[in-house]
Amino acid sequence: MSLSNPSQVLLRNSELLVAKTPLFINLPEDGFIDAYLELYKPNSINCFNNNFIDYQAIINKHRQTATQNVQAIFSSTYQTKIYHDLVIITFPKSKAELNFTLAMIAHCIDVTTKILLVGEKKGGIQSAPKLTKDLLSCCQKADAARHCLLFAGLFQPEKLSIVFNLQDWFKKYKITVEGIELTIASLPGVFSQKKLDTGTALLLGNLPEKMSGKVLDFGCGAGVISCFIGKKFTAINLSLLDVSALALTSAQESLALNGLLGQVFPSNSLSDVNEQYQYVVSNPPFHQGVKTHYQASEEFLAGINKKLSKRGNITIVANSFLRYQPIMQAHIGDTRVITKEQGFTIYQAQLSSK
């Protein structure tokens, strides 16, 4: 795999990378880890990822190469007893996630720990100094190349003593749909963190009239869909999956706040789905551009027929310009357009045969 542009920019700045116990946060598996091991020979590398796909890639690569000093962690928060002398952070897609990430590492660094922020310009990394002014000192641009920026800084000494409390970072809001009141909890970086989004609201108003048995919420986000279904239909067994650890933790909190239970688990599309469901509901994620997103959705819709029980039903909401209906028709069965509103379309399909 070829090095990404941000990784190439990092390797241009060798004087900033020397460390014995570095922590890499949300770096992809693109060859940078191997290059770092060869060049700097650290005692250990801890790789923290809150994206399950990136985590799996690191695990699979370094299991194959039997790299003993690379530790991969998938979680919404990072806890360790190791002191890190270098932290490299991929600038997040959600700017709100950056200070959350910095706050959670305060317990394992000191005033001499180098904090590097790297990312593509189009991702908004230019705002890094402004965003981090309350936590970092000397956050300055270290390099600019390949349409990327690299910032380097140090933690403000007085901020290192602040205890990280996950509960402080949840945004909680109340919604009422069809007379059902829900409380939703969402961490930074989770889709629709502060309010019910238009697509999901449309989906909730167009679910099957009756639902029972096993229900899968694919790409659950903060758990809005599952919480509504759990409150409206009593004879159901909820399963919620997402690729994001931040989303999964948010969904678990939302379920608890509404007195509901559900199986919450990570999955790369359908990679870790091992059961069959009577109903699947989804507002498929749409975060990586039209082409990438459409391919990921096609994979999900092409494979979901194997995860539906006899006469199983799937209901999804999507941006109207995305051509989901032919894919669902080909792989699942008769697919209806339930409604089109505000730029979104609700599709519903029933498995033809089993």
Side-chain angles (χ1 to χ4, degrees), residues 153-284:
L154 301 170
F155 243 80
Q156 297 176 20
E158 63 273 17
K159 300 298 183 180
L160 291 170
S161 60
I162 297 176
V163 177
F164 179 81
N165 181 4
L166 182 63
Q167 284 295 324
D168 294 339
W169 293 88
F170 282 109
K171 294 287 186 183
K172 297 178 182 178
Y173 59 93
K174 295 183 182 294
I175 60 173
T176 301
V177 182
E178 296 183 6
I180 297 173
E181 295 184 0
L182 300 172
T183 301
I184 304 302
S186 188
L187 291 170
V190 177
F191 176 67
S192 192
Q193 190 198 6
K194 298 180 180 179
K195 63 180 181 179
L196 179 63
D197 64 282
T198 303
T200 299
L202 187 64
L203 177 64
L204 297 183
N206 289 277
L207 293 171
E209 291 185 7
K210 296 180 180 180
M211 298 180 75
S212 60
K214 293 182 179 180
V215 178
L216 175 65
D217 183 352
F218 180 90
C220 63
V224 176
I225 296 170
S226 285
C227 287
F228 177 75
I229 291 173
K231 285 290 188 181
K232 184 173 183 178
F233 305 102
T234 56
I236 52 97
N237 187 330
L238 290 169
S239 292
L240 300 76
L241 75 79
D242 206 286
V243 73
S244 164
L246 294 169
L248 296 172
T249 299
S250 300
Q252 193 72 66
E253 184 74 8
S254 295
L255 288 172
L257 287 171
N258 293 285
L260 298 167
L261 297 175
Q263 180 192 11
V264 180
F265 63 97
S267 183
N268 174 5
S269 188
L270 298 169
S271 67
D272 287 60
V273 178
N274 300 314
E275 297 187 38
Q276 292 184 326
Y277 299 89
Q278 189 61 39
Y279 293 93
V280 174
V281 290
S282 182
N283 181 354

Side-chain angles (χ1 to χ4, degrees), residues 16-278:
L16 294 175
L17 299 183
V18 179
K20 290 299 182 184
T21 54
L23 168 63
F24 299 161
I25 297 180
N26 290 329
L27 268 63
E29 176 46 71
D30 63 354
F32 176 80
I33 297 171
D34 285 337
Y36 190 95
L37 285 166
E38 183 177 348
L39 289 169
Y40 302 101
K41 297 179 171 50
N43 295 336
S44 64
I45 296 177
N46 278 33
C47 300
F48 172 88
N49 290 82
N50 56 33
N51 181 291
F52 191 61
I53 298 173
D54 292 333
Y55 163 77
Q56 278 191 320
I58 293 171
I59 284 287
N60 292 337
K61 171 67 182 297
H62 294 280
R63 182 189 295 126
Q64 292 170 3
T65 58
T67 310
Q68 298 298 319
N69 54 349
V70 175
Q71 177 70 33
I73 303 101
F74 171 76
S75 181
S76 57
T77 59
Y78 181 69
Q79 295 294 323
T80 186
K81 294 182 179 179
I82 297 173
Y83 156 75
H84 294 293
D85 49 354
L86 169 67
V87 180
I88 303 176
I89 302 171
T90 296
F91 191 80
K93 293 177 183 176
S94 166
K95 293 179 180 180
E97 189 182 330
L98 181 57
N99 281 332
F100 172 87
T101 301
L102 289 170
M104 78 177 184
I105 63 170
H107 72 283
C108 60
I109 62 175
D110 67 16
V111 292
T112 67
T113 302
K114 292 168 288 187
I115 309 294
L116 304 184
L117 307 175
V118 66
E120 297 185 1
K121 290 179 181 179
K122 64 183 181 182
I125 191 173
Q126 295 96 324
S127 60
K130 182 179 179 180
L131 291 172
T132 61
K133 62 182 175 61
D134 293 332
L135 288 176
L136 299 184
S137 60
C138 308
C139 183
Q140 298 179 347
K141 184 169 68 175
D143 198 2
R146 297 173 174 82
H147 308 291
C148 297
L149 291 174
L150 174 65
F151 286 89
L154 301 170
F155 243 80
Q156 297 176 20
E158 63 273 17
K159 300 298 183 180
L160 291 170
S161 60
I162 297 176
V163 177
F164 179 81
N165 181 4
L166 182 63
Q167 284 295 324
D168 294 339
W169 293 88
F170 282 109
K171 294 287 186 183
K172 297 178 182 178
Y173 59 93
K174 295 183 182 294
I175 60 173
T176 301
V177 182
E178 296 183 6
I180 297 173
E181 295 184 0
L182 300 172
T183 301
I184 304 302
S186 188
L187 291 170
V190 177
F191 176 67
S192 192
Q193 190 198 6
K194 298 180 180 179
K195 63 180 181 179
L196 179 63
D197 64 282
T198 303
T200 299
L202 187 64
L203 177 64
L204 297 183
N206 289 277
L207 293 171
E209 291 185 7
K210 296 180 180 180
M211 298 180 75
S212 60
K214 293 182 179 180
V215 178
L216 175 65
D217 183 352
F218 180 90
C220 63
V224 176
I225 296 170
S226 285
C227 287
F228 177 75
I229 291 173
K231 285 290 188 181
K232 184 173 183 178
F233 305 102
T234 56
I236 52 97
N237 187 330
L238 290 169
S239 292
L240 300 76
L241 75 79
D242 206 286
V243 73
S244 164
L246 294 169
L248 296 172
T249 299
S250 300
Q252 193 72 66
E253 184 74 8
S254 295
L255 288 172
L257 287 171
N258 293 285
L260 298 167
L261 297 175
Q263 180 192 11
V264 180
F265 63 97
S267 183
N268 174 5
S269 188
L270 298 169
S271 67
D272 287 60
V273 178
N274 300 314
E275 297 187 38
Q276 292 184 326
Y277 299 89
Q278 189 61 39

